[in-house]
Structure formats: C-alpha cells, structure tokens
Amino acid sequence: MKLLLVVPAKEERKERRLKGKAFQIPQLSLGILASLTPEDVEVDYVDENLEDINYEWGADLVAITVMTATAPRAYEIAQNFKKFGAKVVLGGIHPSILPYEALKYADSVVVGEAEYVWQQVIEDFKRKELKPIYYGKRVDSKDIISPKREIFKNKGYYFTSILQATRGCPYDCDFCSVSLFFGRSFRNRQIKDIIKEIEELNHPLIGFLDDNLIGNKKFAKKLFYELIPLKIRWLAQASLTIADDLELLRLAKRSGCAGLFIGIESISEGGLKEINKRYQKAKTLLEKIKRIQEEGILIEGSFIFGLDSDTPDVFDETLEFVFKSKMALASFGILTPYPGTKLQKRLIEENRIITYDWRLYDCGHAVFKPKNMTIEKLQEGLDYCWYQFYSYKNIFKRVFSLGYRFPLLGIPVLILNLSYKRMLFKTTDISSWFSQKNYGFIPETI
Ligand code: SF4
C-alpha cells in the first residue's frame, strides 16, 4: 500500500513557489500521520509550495491537510487523485469545521486531531471500508508523539528544526480558530519528550510552532529551565503576557529565546475589546514590548485591520506605533471571518460577508464589509502599511537602531527584513487578487 501526504499550495503560490521558499516549513501534522502509519505502508510527502505533485506515483491513499485558504486547491487535488484511482482523506482545521463541504470532494474526512483515529483509517482503507467521517478525540498530552522527520528530507526546506511543545491556547479571541480546533484546554507535552526531540534535531536554532508557548506559565518556566543546558537559540509565538512575568521573561532569555512572534492585533482599547483580546491593554502595549526587547529578544508584532472600531486613520496610527516600538519585524493582515468563528457568525448575522471564495480567506483580502471605511480603503491601507514598514529607508533605520543597541542582532535582523520584503512583494500581489472572480463556494450552515 502506498500513502501520499500532501500540503496544497495556495493557487498563486504554486505558480511562484521558489520565491518564498525560505519561509516554507514542513507540516508537522503530516509527519505525525507518518509516525502513526504502520511500517508495511510506503509513505511519501509532497509540499506543493516546493514541488509539483506527481499524480502517477501510484498512491493508493492520499491524505491532504487543509486550511481555509488552501481548501479550493485541496479539493482540486483530491479530485485529480480520484481520477487516478486513489482514495482521498482530508483533514486539518477547515474540513474539521466544514466536514460536509470537504466530503463533496473526498472519500473521507478526519474531524479534529488525527492521533486516535489514523490507524483506524488505514485499517478501514485496507478492508475497503473507509468511513465518510472520523471524529478524532482530543489527544491526551502524554500521547502527543514526534513527527517522522525522514519524510521531510530532500524536499527543499531550508529550516526543518521545528517542533510543538503544546497544543491550544487558553484565550478565545473571536476571530481565531485555534480554540475551535484544539479546544480551550491548553495541553503541554511531557518536558522529557520535548528535550529528547530537540536533542534529536541537533540544530543550534529551534522553532516552536505552538500557538502560544507560554499559555501555561508554570509549564513554560519548567520547560525554559530545562532548555538552558542545551545551549540552543529558539523562536516561538507567545502572547504579550510574557512581559508581565519577569521571571518567565528572563528564563526565556536564559534558555535561548532569540525572537517572539506576538499577535498584538490592535493598538486601540476598543479594538482589543471587540476581538475579545481583553487580557491585553492598549495603554501598556509599548511598555511591554520595550520590556521584552530590553532582554535582547526580538519581536515580530502582528496587526489586523478592519475592526468595527477602525477608521481610515488606523493605518498611520499603527505605523506610528510600530516605528515607535522599534520592533524588528511586523506583519499586517485584514480581519478574516474564518468558518465557525464567533466573528463569522456575527458578520453573517449582520449580512456583511461579501464572498465565500475561500482562497481569499488569507488575511490579505477584505471578505466582508468594514464598518468605518470602504473595502477599497481597507485593502489600500493594508498594502500601504506593508510597503511603508518594509521600505528600504525604514528597514535600514530599524536595523541601525537595533544594531546600535544589540550589535550581534543587526545583521540577522537585516537579513530577515530583506528576505521578508523579497517574499512579500514577489509572492503576493494583494490588490490584484481582490479583483479575481468569486468561485462561489457555498458555506454550510454553522
Ligand atoms: S491569543 Fe492567539 S492563539 Fe490564542 S485565541 Fe487569541 S489569537 Fe488565537
């Protein structure tokens, strides 16, 4: 039996795949499926962002991981494989929320986490008794296993030393799918398993792919303490609350934290309340960012536009904030009503969703009517922020300022900014996308 694990590209990226290669990282969830697959099954893995799919490889079963923005492409791939006689299973956040939509294109859908059902899927496939839907129960933290990394070898990734230490997030921001998929129960793996995995990775720079590595601060402190002897550098995503606990922040630094991706989202109190990010207060944002940076930890802040409280001034105000904060990197996006989220429910009720073309659900496109500006203004404002932040003038200003305070960080930050600039402006073309036709996927009732 031959099993192919597939990461679909967004259509546009498929055409321009090599340009954003440096930022592609392997899909650990598919590596976990590979780990769970019995030895007698031949397994291969293809990431369409990096290489073409070989439909003639002879796959008997194909498993595709699907996010909302890649769903239309995943459905196309699924149907292509069916023409070659393969059975197709879809999993990931999007099919878990909209399983009946996904089932129109595939033989089977895994809803939720796959660990406890994957072996059943394989057995059922072998007996030709594949069920339409498998409901994966929430995985106990002790059962979270390491991915089989051999499948990522020679696939063209630059950076593969990544892992997950936790699942879920204790918060419940109303635009976010994390709690929908993983629940609000924050689960952390056994520290000894995490350390073992890092030792096996044997790389000086590690990336944690957790949604919020410090979701449980007690656990995070223990983990950071155990990381100190490994003498690695690491990057992760964390909430700004790390700045509230100096012991945690200093342990993060001592254990090798080099940079944090932090979802700041909005710089206004009204905006933060609106998205239910109540643990963050607008008036303390700058002070907390400063506290983290003073420890020599770089920050990439992420911001979203299109909140009901946003007016056309939000773009300049946000830029002013990011420049003032001196953060090393920033990313900007448009509020996106992902299926199943509270945000989507509200916007449906208010009749403000303008398209269900899932390809546009990538935080780069306005898919709903904003309250205090036009759709065009929202789209233009987004592009404006990207261009301003990543203009050569601003990149060099930022790098000189950072390099002055932290001499060792100047060059890495310059490389990161230039790579980001190259990726952004060669792999996405935000405004031209918006004029694309609506492919008219109809959502299920949620
Ligand atoms: S803190 Fe981040 S991961 Fe957690 S719910 Fe909010 S947006 Fe999602």
Side-chain angles (χ1 to χ4, degrees):
M1 173 186 163
K2 289 171 98 174
L3 166 69
L4 185 63
L5 305 169
V6 180
V7 183
K10 269 188 63 192
E11 209 162 33
E12 147 241 28
R13 301 206 65 170
K14 184 179 55 155
E15 299 306 318
R16 307 175 190 187
R17 62 174 65 104
L18 292 175
K19 307 241 170 64
K21 196 172 166 178
F23 287 89
Q24 292 300 332
I25 48 170
Q27 273 289 331
L28 293 186
S29 57
L30 293 182
I32 288 176
L33 288 194
S35 280
L36 294 165
T37 302
E39 289 293 322
D40 62 332
V41 177
E42 184 181 346
V43 182
D44 201 1
Y45 167 95
V46 58
D47 182 340
E48 207 189 10
N49 293 293
L50 299 172
E51 59 180 321
D52 288 328
I53 293 170
N54 178 7
Y55 289 97
E56 293 176 1
W57 180 65
D60 301 298
L61 183 64
V62 177
I64 309 178
T65 181
V66 189
M67 294 189 302
T68 299
T70 58
R73 176 64 189 149
Y75 298 156
E76 200 181 333
I77 295 169
Q79 290 187 308
N80 288 344
F81 270 113
K82 286 173 85 169
K83 284 185 203 143
F84 279 82
K87 295 282 181 195
V88 180
V89 185
L90 300 179
I93 288 193
H94 189 83
S96 294
I97 306 296
L98 299 176
Y100 292 102
E101 175 191 287
L103 258 184
K104 289 182 205 152
Y105 307 91
D107 300 286
S108 201
V109 172
V110 173
V111 172
E113 296 172 64
E115 273 95 337
Y116 293 151
V117 290
W118 184 243
Q119 278 157 358
Q120 188 65 50
V121 173
I122 300 277
E123 276 171 33
D124 288 354
F125 170 80
K126 285 179 175 171
R127 288 201 306 264
K128 299 192 185 343
E129 287 175 7
L130 214 46
K131 296 183 188 68
I133 301 186
Y134 292 85
Y135 292 96
K137 286 206 186 108
R138 204 139 283 152
V139 178
D140 194 285
S141 51
K142 68 175 179 357
D143 295 334
I144 301 176
I145 56 166
S146 302
K148 187 173 191 172
R149 292 172 191 279
E150 294 92 285
I151 62 166
F152 305 135
K153 272 193 189 140
N154 305 320
K155 296 293 179 185
Y157 293 112
Y158 289 151
F159 186 58
T160 56
S161 51
I162 51 170
L163 79 160
Q164 247 188 325
T166 64
R167 279 194 190 168
C169 176
Y171 303 116
D172 192 20
C173 304
D174 79 342
F175 60 88
C176 180
S177 313
V178 168
S179 311
L180 271 180
F181 189 73
F182 291 118
R184 283 187 68 187
S185 61
F186 184 80
R187 287 158 291 159
N188 37 265
R189 290 174 64 195
Q190 315 266 313
I191 290 185
K192 65 174 176 28
D193 294 345
I194 302 169
I195 300 294
K196 186 166 168 264
E197 198 170 328
I198 294 176
E199 284 170 344
E200 282 166 7
L201 284 168
N202 192 23
H203 195 281
L205 183 65
I206 298 290
F208 285 101
L209 294 190
D210 306 70
D211 294 303
N212 184 1
L213 186 61
I214 60 146
N216 175 339
K217 289 188 179 166
K218 208 168 147 200
F219 163 80
K221 282 181 191 171
K222 274 193 203 149
L223 173 66
F224 298 164
Y225 190 74
E226 297 293 330
L227 290 179
I228 295 171
L230 303 187
K231 298 196 184 324
I232 50 163
R233 304 279 281 158
W234 57 266
L235 306 165
Q237 182 167 309
S239 52
L240 197 55
T241 53
I242 191 170
D244 299 337
D245 187 332
L246 216 54
E247 185 195 357
L248 177 65
L249 184 58
R250 297 215 163 124
L251 268 173
K253 179 61 191 168
R254 270 180 70 202
S255 65
C257 179
L260 292 174
F261 178 93
I262 298 181
I264 293 165
E265 328 303 2
S266 171
I267 58 163
S268 84
E269 204 54 51
L272 291 169
K273 271 201 190 118
E274 192 185 317
I275 56 172
N276 200 28
K277 208 157 192 143
R278 290 168 196 269
Y279 65 85
Q280 211 158 270
K281 297 285 167 236
K283 61 176 187 298
T284 56
L285 291 176
L286 271 179
E287 177 199 322
K288 290 187 183 181
I289 291 170
K290 195 169 158 231
R291 209 176 296 156
I292 298 170
Q293 294 184 134
E294 271 168 0
E295 296 297 324
I297 295 172
L298 296 177
I299 290 185
E300 173 174 349
S302 130
F303 300 86
I304 47 175
F305 300 125
L307 309 183
D308 284 356
S309 51
D310 287 350
T311 67
D313 294 332
V314 72
F315 307 108
D316 277 320
E317 287 166 2
T318 304
L319 276 176
E320 198 189 324
F321 175 92
V322 287
F323 290 136
K324 208 167 165 188
S325 74
K326 297 189 164 56
M327 60 181 64
L329 292 160
S331 48
F332 309 95
I334 290 179
L335 184 67
T336 302
Y338 286 108
T341 57
K342 288 187 201 124
L343 174 68
Q344 193 206 38
K345 284 178 192 159
R346 177 166 67 83
L347 292 177
I348 289 175
E349 275 162 26
E350 294 171 7
N351 198 22
R352 289 167 63 191
I353 307 255
I354 55 169
T355 177
Y356 290 103
D357 179 350
W358 298 136
R359 294 175 312 159
L360 303 178
Y361 281 61
D362 61 352
C363 299
H365 300 86
V367 296
F368 69 98
K369 287 180 220 148
K371 198 162 194 176
N372 286 316
M373 65 183 99
T374 62
I375 290 167
E376 291 73 19
K377 180 67 207 173
L378 178 53
Q379 203 75 47
E380 269 168 39
L382 175 74
D383 290 359
Y384 167 75
C385 286
W386 279 114
Y387 279 93
Q388 286 297 318
F389 191 80
Y390 289 99
S391 71
Y392 285 115
K393 186 180 116 202
N394 284 324
I395 288 179
F396 287 113
K397 262 170 100 175
R398 199 156 49 243
V399 169
F400 279 122
S401 147
L402 259 166
Y404 179 71
R405 288 178 294 150
F406 306 105
L408 291 177
L409 295 179
I411 299 293
V413 170
L414 176 65
I415 294 170
L416 273 170
N417 270 271
L418 293 177
S419 312
Y420 221 156
K421 182 179 175 83
R422 181 174 178 271
M423 179 195 75
L424 287 166
F425 300 118
K426 289 193 175 165
T427 59
T428 55
D429 185 1
I430 297 166
S431 302
S432 68
W433 256 62
F434 193 66
S435 59
Q436 286 184 9
K437 68 176 171 133
N438 179 351
Y439 280 68
F441 282 91
I442 308 297
E444 293 172 68
T445 309
I446 296 158

